[in-house]
Amino acid sequence: MAKSELYGKDLICTQDWSLEELEQVLKLARQMKASRFSDQYTSLLRHRTFLMFFYNPSVRTRQSFEAAATELGGHAQFLEPGGMRLRTKSSAGETIEDAARVMSRYACGMGIRILEGKIEAYGDGDELIRQYAEQASIPVINMADDKFHPCQGLADVMGMREAFDTDSLKGKKLLQIWGHGALARAWCSVQESLLINSRLGMDITVAYPRGYDLDPQVMDQVRANCTAAGSTFEILNDSRAGYEGADVVYSRNWMSPVAYQGGLNRQEEIEKAMQYRDWICDESRMDLTNDALFIHPMPVDRGHEVSDGVASGPRSIIYDVAENRLHVQKAVMAQTMGE
Ligand code: CP
């Protein structure tokens, strides 16, 4: 494989890449899934190290990136900030500039996850990753921050295209709906889904109880994406209405915009969210749809965000999407880091 024109590129949000670049990754991911251990892919990162820098825990992201590095012939190294001496707002230590420049001397690429609980204000996590990207001379991949989750967005698209057996999601209705829950989720997966799927021409309905608005700048971008793609965009504050005619239902909890005011109080957010028991994706609501797929980035909060019957039902593609994390990340790593 020749060096890709994506070589050296950071991936912090899919909105930062052109549609052609995203399609290049999705195409390679499909090929890699079809021929997973083919010799043409197993040496693309031979002898190379990918650094995985986790401020927050993970199941899928850590395991799929680690497996991706292995399957490309390289190695993934797990790092936690607790094991380093980094400067923070409240403690002395090594600067991002120094850490990023040194890490660039060892590795072919770096992934960073920083979410709620590890930041003081919304946007801090995304800002930290962008600072690393600015200073590093190797590609930096966002492994989920407080705003965006690009690899999840790509895996979602791949899963929907496979399930519908088409390369075009144009004209399909996506219902992105809030679910009550006991986990208090960041906005990253939901906002990434809205950004990428609006660019791909899906008709977008976002539904949530009053008081759960997402980032207004991101929503403006989603609206603009829909206009550019010739698709529709609407916001509802109803737990049922959006299901009518939906082709895909993505039910997920997210925190309210006041979550970070005066320091994140997750317990308060959870107690508030748990009062909205009507906000659950269940069989009766799915019956209103156009035999919709159910999609979710996982971990699923069963019995709150979605019923067991829907999450494990015949239209659920949650495990396919989780698997696709591996394939899209292999494609991103091969194209941005493989020589
Ligand atoms: N979807 C996702 O990023 O899962 P993890 O938090 O387990 O990595």
Side-chain angles (χ1 to χ4, degrees):
M1 186 188 264
K3 199 192 268 186
S4 160
E5 59 218 47
L6 295 174
Y7 184 77
K9 207 170 164 66
D10 305 312
L11 179 57
I12 299 176
C13 175
T14 55
Q15 190 76 33
D16 302 335
W17 283 26
S18 70
L19 281 177
E20 292 71 27
E21 289 168 334
L22 298 174
E23 291 295 355
Q24 213 172 302
V25 162
L26 287 163
K27 182 177 172 193
L28 180 58
R30 265 201 317 275
Q31 292 165 348
M32 286 177 151
K33 185 171 185 176
S35 310
R36 184 159 169 186
F37 299 106
S38 158
D39 287 348
Q40 59 186 319
Y41 307 130
T42 51
S43 299
L44 293 174
L45 290 189
R46 194 157 64 104
H47 301 321
R48 291 185 171 79
T49 298
F50 176 70
L51 300 174
M52 305 186 300
F53 193 10
F54 279 94
Y55 283 76
N56 297 76
S58 156
V59 170
R60 278 144 292 273
T61 304
R62 177 179 177 179
Q63 293 175 25
S64 56
F65 267 105
E66 208 161 318
T70 302
E71 293 186 19
L72 293 170
H75 168 71
Q77 188 180 135
F78 179 74
L79 302 168
E80 286 181 300
M84 299 157 78
R85 288 181 298 264
L86 298 170
R87 182 189 287 180
T88 67
K89 283 183 183 169
S90 55
S91 63
E94 191 159 27
T95 61
I96 288 177
E97 178 182 355
D98 287 341
R101 289 185 180 200
V102 169
M103 288 154 103
S104 300
R105 301 288 178 104
Y106 301 140
C108 64
M110 182 193 320
I112 305 176
R113 162 168 288 202
I114 180 162
L115 290 163
E116 68 280 346
K118 302 295 178 188
I119 55 175
E120 286 179 19
Y122 172 73
D124 282 359
D126 189 66
E127 179 56 29
L128 178 136
I129 296 181
R130 290 183 190 276
Q131 285 176 18
Y132 268 93
E134 185 70 29
Q135 298 298 336
S137 58
I138 52 176
V140 172
I141 298 182
N142 178 357
M143 299 195 300
D145 66 28
D146 45 350
K147 295 176 90 169
F148 307 120
H149 198 349
C151 298
Q152 188 63 54
L154 287 163
D156 293 345
V157 170
M158 187 173 174
M160 289 187 286
R161 285 178 171 182
E162 288 169 335
F164 288 127
D165 194 19
T166 175
D167 274 350
S168 174
L169 298 173
K170 196 164 175 53
K172 299 229 180 269
K173 174 179 170 178
L174 169 66
L175 171 63
Q176 190 90 51
I177 189 163
W178 187 90
H180 78 288
L183 294 178
R185 307 301 176 90
W187 296 353
C188 57
S189 301
V190 167
Q191 294 192 154
E192 193 71 55
S193 162
L194 290 170
L195 285 168
I196 191 167
N197 291 313
S198 58
R199 286 175 88 194
L200 294 173
M202 293 190 87
D203 290 330
I204 305 286
T205 297
V206 194
Y208 52 84
R210 288 183 202 287
Y212 281 89
D213 292 336
L214 293 161
D215 183 331
Q217 283 183 340
V218 172
M219 295 305 265
D220 283 349
Q221 184 64 63
V222 172
R223 200 175 283 109
N225 289 348
C226 285
T227 302
S231 56
T232 62
F233 176 81
E234 63 175 348
I235 295 178
L236 303 174
N237 297 122
D238 189 286
S239 71
R240 280 190 96 85
Y243 283 83
E244 294 277 355
D247 297 295
V248 180
V249 174
Y250 185 142
S251 173
R252 168 80 155 172
N253 176 257
W254 65 79
M255 289 186 284
S256 74
V258 299
Y260 288 105
Q261 283 173 11
L264 178 62
N265 186 336
R266 293 191 77 171
Q267 197 48 41
E268 212 169 87
E269 277 297 311
I270 290 166
E271 283 165 18
K272 190 168 62 174
M274 289 299 281
Q275 292 168 23
Y276 294 92
R277 293 191 179 272
D278 250 13
W279 289 78
I280 180 168
C281 175
D282 60 12
E283 288 84 339
S284 77
R285 288 175 170 82
M286 289 299 274
D287 284 346
L288 303 172
T289 68
N290 184 24
D291 195 22
L293 299 174
F294 176 75
I295 187 168
H296 190 289
M298 305 183 83
V300 177
D301 191 1
R302 289 169 180 260
H304 294 136
E305 295 173 316
V306 58
S307 67
D308 262 334
V310 173
S312 298
R315 299 297 286 160
S316 172
I317 57 168
I318 58 176
Y319 302 127
D320 299 317
V321 167
E323 179 190 333
N324 289 343
R325 292 287 306 277
L326 168 70
H327 306 299
V328 298
Q329 288 158 200
K330 280 176 72 176
V332 168
M333 292 163 82
Q335 291 186 312
T336 61
M337 302 165 206
E339 294 207 50

